[in-house]
Amino acid sequence: MEYFMELQRLSVKLVAESTTVKPLELVPVFHAWIRNQKLKDHLMIDVADYNHVPEGPGTLLVTYEGNYSLAQEDGKIALLYQRKRLLAGTLTERLNTALKAVLTASELLEQEDEFRDRLSFDRNRFWVISNDRLSLPNTEQSFEELSPALSEIATEFFGHDNFILSRQGGEKERLSVLVESSVLN
Amino acid sequence: MNSWKEQLSSQIPQDWGKEIDIFETQIELRKRGKLDEKIFAETRLRRGVYGQRYDNGQRHDGEQTQKLAYPSGLLKGPETVWDAPGMLRIKIPFGGVTPDQLDVLAEVAEEYSNGILHVTTRQDFQYHYIHIEDTPDIMRRLAAAGITTREACGNSVRNLTACPKAGVCSGEEFDVTPYARALTDFLLGHPDCQDFGRKVKIAFSGCQGEACGLVMMHDIGALAVKKTRRGKDVHGFALYVGGGLGTVPYQAKLFDAFLPPEELLPISQAIARVFGRLGEKKNRAQARLKFLVVKLGIEEFRRLVWEERQILPDDPHWTSYLDHLPAYGETPLKPPSPLSAEKTLPEGFAEWQRSNVKAQKQTGYAIATVALPLGDLSSDQTRKLADVARRYIGDNIRTTVEQNFVFRWVSEEDLPDLYEDLLEIGLGDSGANTIVDVTACPGTDTCKLGISASRGLAEELRNRLAAKSFEMDEAVRSLRIKVSGCFNSCGQHHVADIGFFGNSRTLNGYKVPHFQVILGGQWAENAGSFGMTIGAIPSRRIPEVVDRITDHFVLVRNQGENFCDFVARIGKKELRSLIENLMKNAPSFEDNPDFYHDWGDPREFTMLDRGIGECAGEVISASQFDLADAEREVFDAQLELEKENYAEADALAYQSMVGASRALVKQQYFDVPEPPDIVVEEFTQRFLDTELFYDKYAKGKFARYLLQRHQQGPVNADADSVHQLIDQAQLFIDAAHACYARCAVE
């Protein structure tokens, strides 16, 4: 058994450029999501505001399965899904589930009345982050091990050979892979 | 290797590793229903695994209470759902932490929590939104870095706090750090600290005049005192007992004006034994040490403790650390160097230096406070902060009870560069140790007991005060504001100049979040006196309260008068009159719905989300813990049998019976030694010969399983024999439980 295949704790991130939306505005929106049971496949628990922490999670929607957060990051807004509970299926299937989770949330946010025309996520690129330094530390070998599964997803998402994978993050940071469309670049 | 257990086995102290393995088994036992819910609750609390808001399986969404349908339906304590994410508290004795430890803390925060480290008002760290199944691996990763969560919660000796300037403060008598370390190590997991009715908090301070150690509000407080004997300095401690905040605060009482260091550990042990024996166990509201001291009177308490001290068996640990004291000291990373007058200073540096920097007693060095808004910092910031520390100070970092870090041994010449590096990572805020640096407990953000949003209010006040800090009167600037989300005082509101604690009132038919206003608490003199309650004000009007009180202070204070004296002089009536109209004339809900919401929470305010707090833990006797351990050992024996490790299975089954019998003996003879020969002999005399252990029908049958195995040694190393022994051990443990219950009733 290859350890990287066991990866369960993973995150997927999307960014929105040129938006006027501030993460703090998400506090009432996430509360309303809980009230209206907006995410059908997640048990939503609470909303936490960490906007006072630079480089922090910003506004956090806590669910049993994982956390969603919207934060300022390098002048952009980043929507992150951090999976915390076990996912079923192969590594590719698990990655797909996490990607779908962040895509669903991004669409729901774009549809919110107060964000219409103010928020648009860039779906030409997304980041997959290994939230598990034991199974998949931030090394070139890990990147190579994860690449086949990511390529399967990217093929489905961007089309065959229409994508680029690149390893990101410093030595002490988690392994983060940018998956982006090569067509628009 | 694909488990942290394997990966880190060589880096984790053996006893810590074993304890974590045991906790992992206890989690499994609880999941299988083989460990009582209350025993498990106190067990996990003593490992730092705490409950969190909404873990009772429901939450008010602003309109109605929704059920949170967690999948397993299992409980990890009374009204505490297994699957609900919770809090993990991490002990940082005297706040001492290194860059390498910060790196690990940061990794754990982002992998298992929410990427946030929270510094508490007792120098701990806390993670939130942790799943209980992840806790053993988190503990292993922390343990490999020399950090424990043991006894961070529950009815135990909590994190031992100390002045963060110890060793570098010009006002101290001597450095209390090595004494604090020795007492921490001595009391951690000590058998005499396992049978308390409530928690015990200990603090050390290097001097009387400043606040840092807060000795007067602790169960046990040690204040450094120096005497001169025959021309030589002699170190000792003024030992105080029975202080505490909580609903009704108590000032500690002097136990001994000069306790020599060689008595510090044994007297603490004797206090623990007296508290364990005589402290209240049933009425949780009266179970802290402060109530026992009041009940007995300090004279009688002192007499009992010294009496206990005389009969304590000698322990080499009491004094062995003293031999290492002369060698103790911190090593600065850089040589001392004054800040050159020619150096170009960055913008904002002067303000930061004024509030955040203090000179050390060692010439050429400074202490710099890294201000953390609400005590929070992100994993990324933590890693970068660790690197900043590596550049300037090495390992010399401490957390503070004001939810900040201090960097010690900063060469003064480096201060401008340090400031710029801190700014770069978002940690260069000035205003530390001023009115802007508001302290708050977690409140309704995450605490089950929270009534009002203490963090929401603290953030609002911090933002408002920071905006006008430049024009602030110096007398106001030096005040302290502290906020608690309820009356339990985790935000330490009693000892602030201006303190608030959360409560609620019904106005116009709606529940409205309020804060009770407490004025004139004394932060200095080790939290020398407590403030007076002025009145409850709607939460949204608290910023106005701060403005009115501080404006009045500036206006009418006498020359040189501090806030504490000002409050005492003008009195409650006048202070109340300043804010009384804020208690009345609530706007209608329709006109101002925000008035009915708490800070940072758009939901209509409710009290329905409060749950049962875990601060008081569960009262579980040492015998009950031992019986639970016996259950775990017989479970482990079954696992070894499955792996065909017959000798190990036999030993564990036997050990479980000895442990269960020792649990019973402990009820009558608390200090029963561990060797099996003694335990079995005592058990035989006290429980078998007296027929206390007798089952109504089986009589002494189950006891004979123990005696037989004890006398005959290991059974045959085959599956059948070992299986039979394990069955017998289980029956013996069941009988021990029944016997314990009968004795408890009697």
Side-chain angles (χ1 to χ4, degrees):
Chain A
M1 181 65 172
E2 302 197 69
Y3 299 138
F4 72 91
M5 296 297 283
E6 297 171 18
L7 180 67
Q8 284 284 350
R9 290 199 311 276
L10 48 93
S11 299
V12 183
K13 184 173 79 178
L14 285 179
V15 297
E17 293 184 61
S18 310
T19 176
T20 58
V21 172
K22 301 279 181 247
L24 195 58
E25 294 179 65
L26 267 287
V27 172
V29 172
F30 281 157
H31 275 288
W33 282 20
I34 297 175
R35 192 163 50 246
N36 301 321
Q37 304 281 311
K38 211 67 180 251
L39 295 172
K40 301 298 175 202
D41 52 355
H42 282 71
L43 172 58
M44 291 176 285
I45 301 171
D46 198 20
V47 183
D49 171 11
Y50 288 104
N51 289 293
H52 55 282
V53 182
E55 301 180 32
T59 300
L60 191 71
L61 172 62
V62 181
T63 83
Y64 166 73
E65 292 81 4
N67 295 339
Y68 294 85
S69 58
L70 195 88
Q72 294 276 4
E73 195 179 288
D74 302 326
K76 298 170 189 164
I77 292 282
L79 175 66
L80 181 83
Y81 176 67
Q82 180 197 356
R83 183 75 193 188
K84 294 180 88 173
R85 306 309 291 156
L86 297 183
L87 282 166
T90 63
L91 177 59
T92 308
E93 287 165 342
R94 296 197 298 270
L95 288 165
N96 238 325
T97 306
L99 175 61
K100 277 181 186 151
V102 79
L103 289 170
T104 303
S106 69
E107 285 161 15
L108 285 171
L109 285 173
E110 286 169 345
Q111 289 160 18
E112 289 290 335
D113 286 345
E114 54 267 63
F115 299 152
R116 204 158 280 162
D117 303 326
R118 292 175 61 209
L119 183 64
S120 172
F121 286 95
D122 175 4
R123 295 186 180 80
N124 287 310
R125 55 185 60 81
F126 59 87
W127 285 257
V128 173
I129 300 157
S130 156
N131 216 9
D132 182 344
R133 287 176 170 83
L134 183 70
S135 296
L136 214 59
N138 192 2
T139 61
E140 197 56 33
Q141 184 189 335
S142 298
F143 173 59
E144 283 167 19
E145 286 171 340
L146 190 61
S147 291
L150 288 178
S151 296
E152 273 191 66
I153 292 170
T155 299
E156 196 179 316
F157 204 70
F158 298 121
H160 188 62
D161 280 347
N162 285 342
F163 60 86
I164 302 165
L165 305 181
S166 49
R167 180 184 158 210
Q168 306 205 321
E171 184 193 344
K172 287 185 178 176
E173 291 169 33
R174 294 164 292 177
L175 173 66
S176 172
V177 179
L178 169 62
V179 184
E180 62 183 333
S181 164
S182 56
V183 176
L184 296 175
N185 287 339
Chain B
M1 284 184 277
N2 202 34
S3 76
W4 287 113
K5 183 175 172 179
E6 290 170 72
Q7 180 96 354
L8 300 173
S9 62
S10 63
Q11 298 167 50
I12 301 176
Q14 204 174 2
D15 51 341
W16 286 18
K18 190 178 172 199
E19 286 165 8
I20 297 166
D21 292 347
I22 288 172
F23 181 58
E24 196 165 38
T25 305
Q26 287 164 329
I27 288 176
E28 190 55 37
L29 283 170
R30 177 63 203 139
K31 281 165 86 171
R32 296 182 186 204
K34 292 188 172 187
L35 187 55
D36 174 78
E37 164 187 310
K38 285 189 176 177
I39 293 177
F40 181 73
E42 181 62 17
T43 299
R44 69 173 161 77
L45 287 168
R46 291 194 193 186
R47 301 241 57 102
V49 181
Y50 212 83
Q52 201 175 301
R53 206 165 178 88
Y54 313 121
D55 68 7
N56 57 356
Q58 62 179 49
R59 176 185 183 274
H60 200 270
D61 65 15
E63 293 176 1
Q64 60 178 335
T65 294
Q66 284 192 12
K67 284 267 175 223
L68 299 173
Y70 290 107
S72 76
L74 189 65
L75 296 179
K76 53 189 171 188
E79 294 189 30
T80 310
V81 180
W82 185 268
D83 297 309
M87 182 262 273
L88 182 69
R89 187 175 293 146
I90 295 144
K91 275 174 137 175
I92 304 292
F94 55 84
V97 66
T98 67
D100 290 351
Q101 290 176 328
L102 285 178
D103 279 345
V104 175
L105 286 158
E107 288 181 3
V108 168
E110 66 192 353
E111 288 184 42
Y112 303 96
S113 177
N114 54 357
I116 291 285
L117 276 99
H118 175 71
V119 178
T120 75
T121 54
R122 294 204 73 254
Q123 295 179 303
D124 300 288
F125 286 108
Q126 281 180 189
Y127 295 133
H128 291 101
Y129 312 109
I130 294 280
H131 286 280
I132 191 166
E133 286 92 348
D134 291 332
T135 56
D137 274 349
I138 296 175
M139 290 170 190
R140 287 184 182 109
R141 293 174 74 173
L142 296 174
I147 299 171
T148 185
T149 62
R150 182 165 188 188
E151 292 163 6
C153 312
N155 299 321
S156 58
V157 177
R158 300 292 187 85
N159 192 40
L160 193 149
T161 58
C163 169
K165 294 188 284 183
V168 295
C169 176
S170 51
E172 71 181 3
E173 294 291 324
F174 57 85
D175 185 355
V176 296
T177 308
Y179 302 96
R181 165 56 73 193
L183 190 57
T184 293
D185 294 345
F186 178 64
L187 294 181
L188 184 70
H190 195 288
D192 289 336
C193 300
Q194 307 305 311
D195 210 16
F196 296 159
R198 286 293 301 271
K199 59 193 163 188
V200 169
K201 294 178 178 176
I202 302 178
F204 277 70
S205 180
C207 75
Q208 186 157 18
E210 291 201 37
C212 316
L214 303 175
V215 154
M216 300 306 291
M217 51 171 250
H218 277 78
D219 295 286
I220 302 174
L223 193 69
V225 179
K226 214 157 52 182
K227 277 186 177 176
T228 306
R229 279 193 194 136
R230 296 185 196 126
K232 284 179 71 177
D233 281 346
V234 183
H235 293 180
F237 291 95
L239 197 76
Y240 290 84
V241 294
L245 295 181
T247 319
V248 182
Y250 284 65
Q251 282 279 305
K253 296 179 174 55
L254 185 64
F255 178 87
D256 196 314
F258 191 85
L259 190 72
E262 55 272 22
E263 282 299 327
L264 181 66
L265 274 54
I267 281 295
S268 300
Q269 183 184 352
I271 290 171
R273 288 171 71 100
V274 169
F275 179 52
R277 196 168 62 239
L278 300 179
E280 174 62 44
K281 299 275 170 61
K282 286 183 181 153
N283 180 355
R284 316 312 314 288
Q286 298 281 311
R288 291 288 295 273
L289 181 64
K290 62 188 179 185
F291 295 108
L292 181 64
V293 172
V294 168
K295 183 178 158 190
L296 295 173
I298 185 65
E299 298 297 330
E300 176 63 4
F301 181 80
R302 187 183 294 122
R303 189 190 69 75
L304 287 168
V305 169
W306 276 109
E307 189 177 86
E308 191 72 30
R309 165 69 187 92
Q310 301 314 316
I311 59 166
L312 282 180
D314 271 348
D315 185 337
H317 292 106
W318 288 344
T319 52
S320 56
Y321 76 101
L322 296 171
D323 298 338
H324 307 293
L325 282 181
Y328 173 78
E330 290 176 325
T331 311
L333 187 71
K334 295 197 171 185
S337 182
L339 180 56
S340 162
E342 274 95 60
K343 184 148 184 158
T344 310
L345 301 176
E347 192 185 338
F349 174 76
E351 181 59 23
W352 179 77
Q353 187 184 29
R354 184 161 78 111
S355 56
N356 294 37
V357 178
K358 299 271 179 287
Q360 280 190 196
K361 69 178 170 186
Q362 295 88 356
T363 307
Y365 288 107
I367 309 160
T369 300
V370 181
L372 305 177
L374 303 180
D376 292 339
L377 77 168
S378 69
S379 286
D380 278 344
Q381 284 182 310
T382 307
R383 263 191 297 274
K384 289 172 183 168
L385 187 72
D387 285 341
V388 172
R390 286 185 182 101
R391 277 200 290 283
Y392 296 103
I393 58 161
D395 286 347
N396 301 312
I397 314 168
R398 302 232 177 150
T399 57
T400 79
V401 296
E402 295 193 271
Q403 303 178 295
N404 294 321
F405 286 108
V406 292
F407 274 28
R408 302 141 58 90
W409 298 100
V410 182
S411 179
E412 288 177 355
E413 185 187 23
D414 286 337
L415 283 167
D417 295 338
L418 170 64
Y419 170 65
E420 286 194 307
D421 285 354
L422 290 173
L423 268 185
E424 181 82 11
I425 60 173
L427 292 173
D429 284 358
S430 57
N433 315 309
T434 73
I435 193 169
V436 176
D437 195 8
V438 182
T439 306
C441 72
T444 49
D445 280 13
T446 51
C447 176
K448 294 164 86 163
L449 289 171
I451 297 174
S452 304
S454 44
R455 278 164 61 89
L457 174 62
E459 190 175 6
E460 182 67 24
L461 292 176
R462 185 175 161 274
N463 291 338
R464 290 180 187 228
L465 292 164
K468 55 185 179 185
S469 64
F470 292 102
E471 62 202 39
M472 215 174 254
D473 187 286
E474 191 54 39
V476 171
R477 198 180 136 80
S478 61
L479 300 182
R480 294 292 206 283
I481 296 180
K482 296 184 184 293
V483 190
S484 299
C486 75
F487 42 76
N488 282 310
S489 311
C490 298
Q492 302 173 344
H493 55 262
H494 292 294
V495 294
D497 295 294
I498 303 174
F500 302 104
F501 75 82
N503 58 19
S504 85
R505 299 282 188 273
T506 302
L507 303 174
N508 298 331
Y510 292 89
K511 288 276 181 208
V512 178
H514 279 59
F515 280 94
Q516 184 66 246
V517 181
I518 314 267
L519 296 178
Q522 191 181 20
W523 183 241
E525 303 280 336
N526 278 284
S529 64
F530 303 130
M532 66 167 89
T533 306
I534 305 298
I537 305 286
S539 184
R540 292 286 175 159
R541 289 174 170 169
I542 293 295
E544 177 67 19
V545 169
V546 173
D547 287 347
R548 290 190 189 186
I549 298 288
T550 52
D551 287 351
H552 196 66
F553 174 50
V554 171
L555 202 65
V556 307
R557 82 186 186 111
N558 292 331
Q559 181 80 25
E561 187 178 41
N562 68 31
F563 190 78
C564 204
D565 293 340
F566 156 79
V567 167
R569 177 171 61 80
I570 73 168
K572 186 169 180 167
K573 193 175 171 190
E574 186 175 333
L575 289 165
R576 188 179 167 97
S577 72
L578 290 173
I579 57 174
E580 198 151 26
N581 67 335
L582 297 175
M583 300 174 189
K584 303 166 189 164
N585 307 319
S588 71
F589 186 88
E590 291 70 27
D591 285 348
N592 186 359
D594 277 353
F595 186 82
Y596 296 83
H597 297 172
D598 215 336
W599 294 105
D601 192 338
R603 292 174 294 170
E604 188 183 316
F605 179 74
T606 178
M607 294 280 285
L608 296 174
D609 285 334
R610 292 193 88 210
I612 297 174
E614 296 194 319
C615 311
E618 297 289 340
V619 177
I620 306 295
S621 70
S623 294
Q624 285 173 290
F625 275 121
D626 287 350
L627 286 170
D629 277 347
E631 291 271 17
R632 178 184 48 75
E633 283 164 348
V634 81
F635 176 77
D636 283 344
Q638 285 161 355
L639 297 182
E640 293 300 328
L641 175 62
E642 280 169 22
K643 289 188 255 175
E644 300 182 357
N645 295 332
Y646 301 127
E648 287 85 349
D650 167 86
L652 280 163
Y654 169 57
Q655 200 175 305
S656 72
M657 286 194 282
V658 174
S661 56
R662 189 164 183 268
L664 294 178
V665 174
K666 233 180 193 177
Q667 291 175 280
Q668 298 180 5
Y669 174 17
F670 189 80
D671 293 320
V672 56
E674 288 188 4
D677 284 344
I678 301 174
V679 174
V680 172
E681 188 185 336
E682 291 291 339
F683 170 75
T684 305
Q685 283 175 15
R686 292 168 188 268
F687 285 87
L688 202 54
D689 295 349
T690 58
E691 300 189 359
L692 271 175
F693 192 75
Y694 269 35
D695 177 82
K696 190 173 177 185
Y697 305 105
K699 306 295 179 194
K701 177 180 172 182
F702 302 130
R704 283 195 292 277
Y705 296 151
L706 166 67
L707 300 184
Q708 190 174 320
R709 169 63 182 81
H710 180 69
Q711 286 155 5
Q712 294 177 1
V715 298
N716 290 338
D718 61 65
D720 287 345
S721 304
V722 175
H723 194 292
Q724 191 179 33
L725 181 72
I726 291 172
D727 286 347
Q728 289 175 349
Q730 188 63 64
L731 288 166
F732 179 83
I733 292 166
D734 290 344
H737 273 293
C739 178
Y740 176 83
R742 282 197 302 275
C743 294
V745 169
E746 282 162 21

